[in-house]
Amino acid sequence: MGGLAEVAQVEYIERVKDSAGFGFETPGADTFQGRDIIILAMGPSRGHCPFDTETWAVNQGYYQVYEMHGRLDKLFLAHSQVYSEEGNPYFKWDEINSLADAGVEIINTHRVKELKSKMFPMKQIIKRFRIDYFSDTICYMIAYALYDSTHKKNGKVELKYPLRLRFYGVDIQDRDEYGFEKPGIEFWIGYAFGLGV
């Protein structure tokens, strides 16, 4: 089984390399008028991110943003503290707080006493969309973008303005991501598409 997984990973890396010419550049000027948000995760396709608009990253993705000399507007976390097998903390709250001090909005689904963050508006989002299906942090990010860009009119959820979401680094790679996270991401992308995003 390990051999098959290794072959699949090699094929995946080749697909990511081959994707460089597909859909990342459009001829002529970009004519989209509206709110444009990049949702940036930590997969290999993050290297294609142009950082040319509002950019939201996930977890420790801020390291990659700064390595790539990109911009960061919001950082989403869906954790309290996580520890390695050696007992080392995964998140460095002081680093993340310095991002907040520099103007990056930190949004977390958990209350962390030592973190300068805003709570994810879970109850309000569930009430607006009547959905509580979140398989990973990318789902929270999509739902937040939709919540921030919609209102209810005559009982129906509608966009307040044109919205475009662009995804980089959201590469569903391993078995857990593929089995547990991918369906939620697909669901929220479908919901967004249905709203006209």
Side-chain angles (χ1 to χ4, degrees), residues 79-98:
H79 301 281
S80 50
Q81 189 55 273
V82 178
Y83 295 91
S84 70
E85 290 179 9
E86 296 80 28
N88 300 318
Y90 181 72
F91 294 108
K92 296 180 177 139
W93 301 134
D94 56 332
E95 284 182 5
I96 296 173
N97 284 334
S98 69

Side-chain angles (χ1 to χ4, degrees), residues 173-189:
Q173 298 179 76
D174 65 37
R175 182 177 292 168
D176 287 342
E177 288 179 343
Y178 202 85
F180 299 116
E181 298 178 15
K182 181 177 180 275
I185 295 170
E186 290 173 330
F187 174 85
W188 281 102
I189 288 173

Side-chain angles (χ1 to χ4, degrees), residues 8-58:
Q9 187 164 4
V10 168
E11 288 176 1
Y12 171 78
I13 290 167
E14 289 305 312
R15 282 198 315 273
V16 170
K17 287 179 188 173
D18 291 344
S19 73
F22 299 113
F24 294 104
E25 292 182 28
T26 15
D30 184 357
T31 58
F32 179 74
Q33 298 292 312
R35 187 173 185 192
D36 195 14
I37 299 171
I38 290 173
I39 292 181
L40 181 64
M42 299 186 298
S45 69
R46 71 183 180 274
H48 297 293
C49 183
F51 297 104
D52 58 353
T53 190
E54 185 176 353
T55 304
W56 300 1
V58 60

Side-chain angles (χ1 to χ4, degrees), residues 6-193:
E6 289 170 18
V7 169
Q9 187 164 4
V10 168
E11 288 176 1
Y12 171 78
I13 290 167
E14 289 305 312
R15 282 198 315 273
V16 170
K17 287 179 188 173
D18 291 344
S19 73
F22 299 113
F24 294 104
E25 292 182 28
T26 15
D30 184 357
T31 58
F32 179 74
Q33 298 292 312
R35 187 173 185 192
D36 195 14
I37 299 171
I38 290 173
I39 292 181
L40 181 64
M42 299 186 298
S45 69
R46 71 183 180 274
H48 297 293
C49 183
F51 297 104
D52 58 353
T53 190
E54 185 176 353
T55 304
W56 300 1
V58 60
N59 294 329
Q60 289 190 329
Y62 63 91
Y63 287 125
Q64 297 164 345
V65 170
Y66 292 120
E67 284 174 4
M68 296 166 64
H69 306 289
R71 66 179 279 172
L72 181 59
D73 299 283
K74 287 182 180 26
L75 180 69
F76 284 77
L77 305 169
H79 301 281
S80 50
Q81 189 55 273
V82 178
Y83 295 91
S84 70
E85 290 179 9
E86 296 80 28
N88 300 318
Y90 181 72
F91 294 108
K92 296 180 177 139
W93 301 134
D94 56 332
E95 284 182 5
I96 296 173
N97 284 334
S98 69
L99 294 173
D101 292 340
V104 176
E105 188 175 14
I106 312 301
I107 300 168
N108 197 349
T109 59
H110 292 77
R111 194 168 307 284
V112 176
K113 185 177 170 183
E114 56 272 53
L115 184 62
K116 298 175 183 176
S117 64
K118 175 181 174 181
M119 283 298 293
F120 182 82
M122 185 72 76
K123 289 180 182 174
Q124 297 91 326
I125 286 176
I126 291 171
K127 183 177 179 185
R128 174 156 314 155
F129 301 118
R130 297 182 8 216
I131 299 163
D132 65 353
Y133 178 41
F134 303 98
S135 60
D136 68 352
T137 312
I138 303 302
C139 294
Y140 292 119
M141 295 166 81
I142 298 168
Y144 190 91
L146 296 178
Y147 177 75
D148 203 37
S149 304
T150 59
H151 57 233
K152 270 198 165 178
K153 189 174 180 181
N154 299 325
K156 184 179 175 188
V157 176
E158 294 181 350
L159 287 174
K160 296 187 275 190
Y161 40 74
L163 175 65
R164 176 168 67 178
L165 301 177
R166 292 188 280 157
F167 298 87
Y168 296 91
V170 185
D171 306 309
I172 303 302
Q173 298 179 76
D174 65 37
R175 182 177 292 168
D176 287 342
E177 288 179 343
Y178 202 85
F180 299 116
E181 298 178 15
K182 181 177 180 275
I185 295 170
E186 290 173 330
F187 174 85
W188 281 102
I189 288 173
Y191 193 93
F193 189 75

